[in-house]
Amino acid sequence: MITEQLLGEGSSVYRSVLPSGIRVISETMPGLESETVGIWVDSGSRDEAPTAAGSTHFLEHMLFKGTPQRSARRIAEEFDRTGGESNAVTAKEYTCYFSRCLVDDVDHITALLWDMVLHSTLDAREFERERGVILEELAMSADDPGEVLYDAFDEFVYAGHPLGRPVGARKEQIRALDHRTLLDHYAHDYVGPRLVFAAAGGAEHSAVVEMVARATADLPELSSAPGAGLRPVRTPPEFHGGVHTVVKDTEQQGIILGMPGLPEADDERFTMTVLYSLLGGGMSSRLFQEIREERGLAYSVHCIASTHADSGQFGIYAGTSPASAQQVIDLCAAELDRLATTVPGRDEVEAIVSQVAGSTVLGLESSAARMNRLARAELYGRPLQTPSELIDRVRAVTPEQVTALAERLAAGPRALVTCGPGAGFELPG
């Protein structure tokens, strides 16, 4: 087993690689009586073959349905007894099973999570029952205009690419998914080299490693299965601009004005954080003040951003009346273009930097936030930095850098996607 200390001498962040290839990364937060732990699978919906669409999310559901040692009911009861919280999430590039519990319960919860992840029975009858549950989940999403808008945006700008598919796939794809496809997915992806265990809280790293090693002792050593579990090559997507409208009987017109953004580990992400907050990150942001406070055209207007290993998106979301939608679209584009052509004042940027620095520190007081940070850094190869280093990077952002990044964003292809009763909207010239 290889263990290294991260973040320099004296830090409490360590990374170990077990013989099975499982990576264990944890941070000790002195004085904390709780722990957040998660098993992260380096596989998401974009890694599915077209015939396996929806299998990643389906598998996430199935892992709560029982193992040879635990029934589905027993799994639920063991999570509930700790008094903490537990859940799972499927994303486009990873899957995560996580729990927050008392430090005294970490060993038990760790064993429970690994039993689910490594020993799921994936019973065929449970598979058919859960198919109905997932179809109901998709139906619920289809009734949510926000979900429809965001899915439509991805599908439009990444047309023909796996990143354009909804994480949960379409109803017809779930109906067509067979049990054997799920079993093959599980056998290929849920193996040592594609698994990361991340933890943050009161537990020491050595204790966390012992728990994981004990819970995964039956896994073969990596050398006995060369090449097993390696991620398939991901093809970067092409971003498609243009206009797309989803007509839906709603009170508001949902709007996303978007363009290519930054990949997860891009070094300009600190500048992006400042730009995001300045343009549409809070009540004092330009978009909020212009569109909501001064004109009363929308209740909600803000920036959005998503990042992937090889690409990203940046955009502006607003919800408004169909009659005001084109005006709001024009105003959003104008604010972005103004930032791209006119360097903001130093006082404005310094105020945003202070806001971002404060939110960074407050956010990292959560063990869940730290656990997520460790895992994402490991999955995306992003260097870890201390909270003080993160704040220094943000404080180093200059007004000129903000405008340069805004200019780069504004110069890319733009996509306008709307959802609501209106139609005929146009991208500002």
Side-chain angles (χ1 to χ4, degrees):
M1 182 177 68
I2 301 171
T3 297
E4 58 182 323
Q5 185 179 29
L6 306 180
L7 298 179
E9 189 70 27
S11 80
S12 58
V13 181
Y14 290 84
R15 177 184 185 272
S16 297
V17 182
L18 302 185
S20 60
I22 291 173
R23 291 160 282 170
V24 182
I25 181 166
S26 78
E27 179 172 7
T28 304
M29 303 171 69
L32 212 61
E33 296 297 328
S34 65
E35 189 87 8
T36 302
V37 298
I39 299 175
W40 296 67
V41 187
D42 195 2
S43 176
S45 62
R46 78 173 292 184
D47 301 312
E48 300 164 344
T51 55
S55 60
T56 307
H57 177 241
F58 208 130
L59 195 52
E60 176 218 306
H61 278 239
M62 289 298 296
L63 263 60
F64 286 87
K65 295 302 176 183
T67 73
Q69 301 299 318
R70 293 174 169 91
S71 65
R73 182 181 183 87
R74 183 178 166 189
I75 287 173
E77 289 174 345
E78 289 189 31
F79 276 127
D80 287 348
R81 279 196 203 109
T82 67
E85 55 184 307
S86 58
N87 212 329
V89 60
T90 304
K92 297 201 173 185
E93 295 185 323
Y94 59 80
T95 313
C96 176
Y97 305 84
F98 63 92
S99 183
R100 181 170 178 262
C101 61
L102 297 176
V103 172
D104 289 345
D105 292 322
V106 174
D107 194 4
H108 178 74
I109 290 298
T110 297
L112 172 56
L113 285 171
W114 280 112
D115 188 30
M116 290 169 49
V117 167
L118 297 179
H119 306 125
S120 178
T121 53
L122 302 181
D123 180 77
R125 288 170 299 179
E126 287 286 356
F127 173 80
E128 291 303 329
R129 276 194 288 267
E130 200 62 23
R131 192 195 303 271
V133 173
I134 291 173
L135 288 172
E136 289 301 324
E137 183 181 3
L138 296 181
M140 182 174 67
S141 295
D143 286 339
D144 182 338
E147 293 271 359
V148 172
L149 176 62
Y150 281 92
D151 281 348
F153 182 79
D154 281 353
E155 191 169 12
F156 180 69
V157 302
Y158 292 144
H161 191 277
L163 281 174
R165 291 198 307 257
V167 168
R170 301 292 183 193
K171 284 186 177 182
E172 60 272 16
Q173 292 170 316
I174 294 301
R175 291 191 182 103
L177 190 67
D178 63 66
H179 188 235
R180 170 48 55 188
T181 299
L182 197 80
L183 295 175
D184 290 345
H185 184 148
Y186 184 58
H188 181 266
D189 287 8
Y190 282 62
V191 292
R194 299 183 78 162
L195 302 175
V196 173
F197 188 86
E204 296 290 336
H205 181 76
S206 58
V208 171
V209 171
E210 287 180 13
M211 296 172 196
V212 175
R214 190 161 52 244
T216 64
D218 57 344
L219 286 183
E221 290 192 12
L222 183 59
S223 59
S224 66
L230 294 180
R231 180 197 297 165
V233 175
R234 289 170 170 168
T235 304
E238 178 185 355
F239 188 100
H240 302 280
V243 179
H244 176 65
T245 299
V246 178
V247 177
K248 193 172 180 65
D249 185 14
T250 58
E251 292 291 324
Q252 281 198 319
Q253 195 77 30
I255 298 162
I256 295 179
L257 175 63
M259 58 218 68
L262 302 178
E264 172 79 15
D266 195 292
D267 199 48
E268 283 197 273
R269 64 187 182 276
F270 301 99
T271 304
M272 176 66 89
T273 301
V274 175
L275 184 155
Y276 181 107
S277 298
L278 187 154
L279 187 62
M283 291 189 296
S284 64
S285 69
R286 291 184 176 187
L287 288 169
F288 191 95
Q289 289 296 312
E290 173 73 13
I291 293 174
R292 173 170 164 163
E293 297 297 279
E294 294 184 19
R295 298 176 184 264
L297 294 173
Y299 173 75
S300 178
V301 56
H302 54 83
C303 288
I304 58 173
S306 62
T307 58
H308 305 298
D310 51 13
S311 58
Q313 302 169 5
F314 176 80
I316 300 167
Y317 165 85
T320 187
S321 69
S324 300
Q326 188 63 56
Q327 184 183 4
V328 170
I329 293 165
D330 293 344
L331 288 168
C332 289
E335 281 297 333
L336 174 62
D337 291 338
R338 183 162 74 93
L339 187 59
T341 55
T342 305
V343 177
R346 188 163 296 278
D347 288 347
E348 183 181 18
V349 172
E350 287 179 354
I352 294 298
V353 165
S354 294
Q355 172 193 331
V356 172
S359 63
T360 299
V361 172
L362 292 174
L364 289 178
E365 289 185 353
S366 156
S367 62
R370 296 213 179 196
M371 186 274 289
N372 275 275
R373 185 172 82 104
L374 296 177
R376 290 179 70 93
E378 182 66 29
L379 290 177
Y380 288 103
R382 190 177 69 193
L384 272 174
Q385 294 174 302
T386 65
S388 61
E389 288 172 338
L390 291 173
I391 292 170
D392 287 344
R393 290 295 303 272
V394 171
R395 285 180 173 156
V397 173
T398 67
E400 292 76 16
Q401 288 173 328
V402 173
T403 290
L405 180 56
E407 182 180 11
R408 171 180 161 188
L409 296 173
R414 297 188 188 185
L416 172 64
V417 178
T418 70
C419 177
F425 304 110
E426 298 179 351
L427 276 168

